[in-house]
Amino acid sequence: MPMSGDLLRLADAVLFPGFPGHTPPDWLRRRLGDGLAGVALFSRNIADPGQVAELTAALRAENPAVLVGTDEESGEVTRLEVATGSSRPGAYALGVVDDVVLTESLARDLGSELARAGITIDFAPSADVNSNPDNPVIGLRAFGSDPSLVARHTRAFVRGLQSAGVAACAKHFPGHGDTAVDSHHGVPVVAESGIEDALHPFREAIEEGVKIIMTGHLLVPSYDAERPATLSPKVLTGLLREELGFDGLIITDGIEMAAVSGAYGIGGASARAIAAGADAICVGGERADEATAAGIRDAIASAVTTGLLPEERLADAARRVRELAAWAASSGSQAPSGGRIGLDAARRAIRVTRRSTAPVLPIAGQPYVVELVPVMNLAIDKNTPWGVGEPLARLLPGTQVTRLASGEATGPELERLIGLAEGRPLVVVVRDVHRYAWQSEALRHLLSARPDAVVVEMGLPVRSDLGAVHVATHGSAVVCGQAAAEVLTGRL
C-alpha cells in the first residue's frame, strides 16, 4: 500500500512533537495546517506566561483543534516557571502534608494558570509509588511511598486540574516508582511483588475520570517479559484497556528515550507503540527537529503499508485524540489565582529535627551557606533555580553562599570554607544526600569541624540525624527554599 496523503495525515493525527524557540517554526505551522495532533512544550519554548499565550494562539491559528501539552508537575519539574523556580511545591511535599483539599486546590490553581496560557494538557501528576528511595528519576515527583496516599492525592490532583479545563495525565504507567534505572538511559524492570501496589493509584485515577495516562518505558515481566510497557499489547491493551477499563487517551513518554528507541529507533518504536495500544506519541525532549517529527510520521504510515500496524488501530487512536480535543475546547473555567497557596503548602511541609540542646535556631547575624549541587535527571531542567542561600540572604543581609558540585567539594576547598565560616552560623544544604557518596563525604567533613551546623535537606530525607538541627523541606521549589529560610530565621 503506498503512503497516500490521507495516510500521512492520519499518522500526523497522533503525533505530539517538540520544537525549538519561542515561536512556531514554518515546518510546524505547515504540519498543524495538515492536521498535526498537538505539540509538547519544553523549557526552551517558554519565557513567561504572556509569551506562552501568544505562542499557543499562533498554534491555534494554524489548527484550532491543536492540543498543547507540557510537563508542569509543580516543584522540581516545572516548565512555566523554569526561569524563576516553581511557586508551588512538588508532589512529595503535598504527600507529607497529606491534605487532599490542599492538593486539589493547588492543582486547580495550577490548571487555571495553564489554561490562561493556552495549555490544554498537563503531563501530571506522577502516580508512581516511590517505594525505592534510590530511584534516580522519580523521588520527589511522587506523592510518597504508600500506595493509598499516592492514590488519594493523585485523584485530588486530577480533580483540580480537570476542573480548570486542563486534561490531567497520570504517569508513568504501570508505575516507575520501584525501579533503580532511569528510562532516559536504560530499561527499568518492575518487580512482580510490587506490581499491585504500583497499579493502585492508576486504578484510582481511572475511577476519578483522568483523561490521559502516560506509558512508562518499563519492563513488567509479570505481564510481558520481552517488551517495555510502551510497546506491549499485553500491558497497554490487555492490562490498561481491558483489565483496568481505561477508555481515555494513552500517550507515550518521550519516545526518543533509550529504553524504547534503542532497539527499534524512534520511528520504529512509535509505530510499535501505536500498534500496542497507545493513541499518541510524545517526542521532543531530546529530539526537537523537523526531521525527527517527519521520520516518526513516515514510520507510522509505513508500518500501516507493511502490516505491522493495522490502519483501524491508527484510526482509533486518531479518534481518541479528536475526542480529547473536543473535551478541551468545551471544558473548565479559569478560576482566579490562589495567591500564596504554594508558599503556604511549602511551609506546611517543613519538618524540623533538633538534635542539640544548644539554641541553634533561630539563626542570627550573617550565616555562611554551603550548597552541595548534584547533577539532576533529564526530567528536571538544569537551570531551574533552587536553594536556601538566596532567600536566606534576603532575610539576613550579609549572608554568604558557596555552591559546590561533585568535583569541587575537595578536602582543601571544604577546609577553606570552614575557615571562612568561622564565627558565623553554618548552614549546609544538600539534595538527596543518601544517593550521592560525594555529598555524604562532604557533609561528614563539614560536620566534623562544625557539629553546630544546620543541615537542610531539599531532596528525599532518608536521614534526619544530620547536623545540630535537620530541616527537611521535602522539595526544592523556590517556595520550599523560602519556607526553610523562614524556619532558620524564626519567622515560621
Side-chain angles (χ1 to χ4, degrees):
M1 182 190 301
M3 293 198 297
S4 67
D6 287 345
L7 182 55
L8 290 172
R9 281 189 288 274
L10 190 60
D12 251 351
V14 301
L15 183 56
F16 286 70
F19 59 94
H22 292 167
T23 57
D26 289 343
W27 68 264
L28 183 63
R29 291 179 182 272
R30 290 194 304 272
R31 295 279 289 277
L32 286 169
D34 286 338
L36 184 70
V39 299
L41 300 184
F42 295 87
S43 303
R44 61 175 174 262
N45 304 122
I46 294 172
D48 55 64
Q51 170 267 322
V52 178
E54 292 179 3
L55 170 58
T56 57
L59 297 171
R60 289 195 171 82
E62 305 295 339
N63 179 357
V66 66
L67 288 162
V68 181
T70 196
D71 282 296
E72 184 56 58
E73 298 176 15
S74 73
E76 288 61 45
V77 179
T78 179
R79 300 295 180 252
L80 277 186
E81 298 184 287
V82 67
T84 58
S86 180
S87 59
R88 304 171 184 87
Y92 203 90
L94 294 173
V96 167
V97 178
D98 197 13
D99 178 347
V100 292
V101 173
L102 172 66
T103 297
E104 182 176 350
S105 298
L106 184 143
R108 183 182 301 112
D109 182 62
L110 172 60
S112 296
E113 183 175 355
L114 292 168
R116 284 192 293 272
I119 293 170
T120 47
I121 297 174
D122 188 6
F123 299 128
S126 168
D128 303 298
V129 179
N130 195 63
S131 49
N132 185 346
D134 291 326
N135 193 310
V137 71
I138 302 301
L140 296 175
R141 301 168 66 192
F143 290 107
S145 59
D146 176 73
S148 296
L149 180 145
V150 174
R152 62 179 173 266
H153 286 278
T154 294
R155 292 190 71 147
F157 205 95
V158 168
R159 282 195 303 273
L161 274 180
Q162 295 188 172
S163 69
V166 173
C169 176
K171 61 185 184 185
H172 307 79
F173 185 83
H176 207 323
D178 190 16
T179 62
V181 174
D182 184 344
S183 50
H184 289 91
H185 307 298
V187 184
V189 178
V190 179
E192 182 175 0
S193 60
I195 187 62
E196 282 306 314
D197 282 350
L199 289 175
H200 181 54
F202 291 98
R203 294 181 190 273
E204 293 292 305
I206 292 167
E207 181 69 22
E208 191 60 50
V210 69
K211 293 295 178 182
I212 311 171
I213 289 180
M214 177 178 282
T215 68
H217 304 326
L218 317 162
L219 194 66
V220 192
S222 54
Y223 284 89
D224 192 330
E226 298 179 355
R227 288 164 292 194
T230 297
L231 310 180
S232 172
K234 294 177 182 178
V235 174
L236 299 190
T237 300
L239 174 58
L240 183 52
R241 288 286 188 219
E242 296 172 1
E243 183 178 331
L244 301 189
F246 180 60
D247 195 41
L249 186 84
I250 301 174
I251 192 168
T252 71
D253 202 351
I255 204 70
E256 69 266 49
M257 291 161 65
V260 289
S261 67
Y264 303 104
I266 295 175
S270 299
R272 285 167 173 78
I274 299 295
D279 304 304
I281 303 296
C282 181
V283 68
E286 301 166 59
R287 298 284 292 274
D289 54 283
E290 179 181 5
T292 296
I296 294 174
R297 177 200 59 195
D298 294 349
I300 291 173
S302 178
V304 173
T305 66
T306 61
L308 175 66
L309 170 60
E311 187 170 0
E312 295 78 11
R313 168 79 274 273
L314 179 58
D316 182 62
R319 172 187 62 82
R320 291 183 190 276
V321 174
R322 290 195 303 272
E323 289 176 351
L324 181 65
W327 176 87
S330 61
S331 299
S333 60
Q334 297 177 23
S337 171
R340 298 170 63 89
I341 187 171
L343 180 56
D344 291 343
R347 288 166 171 163
R348 292 176 64 184
I350 292 280
R351 298 293 182 271
V352 179
T353 303
R354 291 175 171 82
R355 303 183 59 250
S356 170
T357 57
V360 178
L361 296 183
I363 287 175
Q366 298 177 332
Y368 201 100
V369 180
V370 178
E371 296 183 335
L372 303 179
V373 185
V375 176
M376 304 309 297
N377 65 70
L378 289 176
I380 301 172
D381 191 288
K382 64 182 180 181
N383 296 314
T384 306
W386 69 279
V388 175
E390 184 176 332
L392 188 59
R394 290 197 297 268
L395 296 177
L396 293 177
T399 296
Q400 286 188 257
V401 185
T402 295
R403 295 196 128 200
L404 297 177
S406 60
E408 300 167 335
T410 63
E413 175 63 10
L414 294 172
E415 284 297 316
R416 186 182 75 86
L417 297 181
I418 290 168
L420 292 175
E422 186 175 357
R424 307 174 65 168
L426 177 62
V427 178
V428 185
V429 183
V430 295
R431 192 168 174 181
D432 285 345
V433 68
H434 69 284
R435 289 186 51 234
Y436 299 95
W438 72 268
Q439 278 196 75
S440 295
E441 178 57 27
L443 184 58
R444 185 203 62 77
H445 191 139
L446 292 168
L447 292 179
S448 66
R450 289 291 303 270
D452 62 328
V454 176
V455 174
V456 180
E457 171 62 85
M458 301 195 77
L460 202 65
V462 172
R463 294 180 62 179
S464 60
D465 60 337
L466 301 168
V469 174
H470 184 275
V471 179
T473 62
H474 302 99
S476 62
V478 292
V479 286
C480 298
Q482 174 66 32
E486 292 174 352
V487 165
L488 295 179
T489 58
R491 291 164 169 80
L492 177 60

